[in-house]
Amino acid sequence: LVPLEIYGQSCPDKPLPQQPSQPVVAPIACPADAMICPDGSPRSRDPNNNCRFPPCPAGCMDDVLVCPDNITTMTRDPTNKCE
């Protein structure tokens, strides 16, 4: 290497840093949407899994009891063997 002179100054005789042999890969950016699992837990997309949602935890059947007031709902309790 030949010393480089810039505006009357020369660089020390050090080799130039080597460029990486492989291209730098930019991180994957997934959409910012979320999914709510039947048990109420949220899931975000996984950039390490092609932006797919991770699976929901094993839960109970999707049946929901609507109470007589037509407002209150009840689902099975996964922490109590889905009873």
Side-chain angles (χ1 to χ4, degrees):
L1 293 174
V2 177
L4 178 65
E5 288 193 22
I6 302 173
Y7 302 108
Q9 297 177 339
S10 62
C11 295
D13 292 332
K14 292 184 181 178
L16 294 174
Q18 295 293 321
Q19 296 295 322
S21 59
Q22 296 180 355
V24 176
V25 177
I28 295 174
C30 298
D33 57 343
M35 175 178 75
I36 303 298
C37 293
D39 69 350
S41 62
R43 294 289 180 261
S44 299
R45 293 183 182 272
D46 182 358
N48 297 319
N49 190 17
N50 205 22
C51 290
R52 292 187 178 105
F53 289 111
C56 288
C60 304
M61 297 180 346
D62 289 344
D63 57 342
V64 175
L65 171 67
V66 179
C67 296
D69 65 4
N70 285 327
I71 298 171
T72 308
T73 59
M74 296 177 64
T75 59
R76 296 182 181 269
D77 183 0
T79 63
N80 189 25
K81 299 180 182 177
C82 293
E83 292 186 13

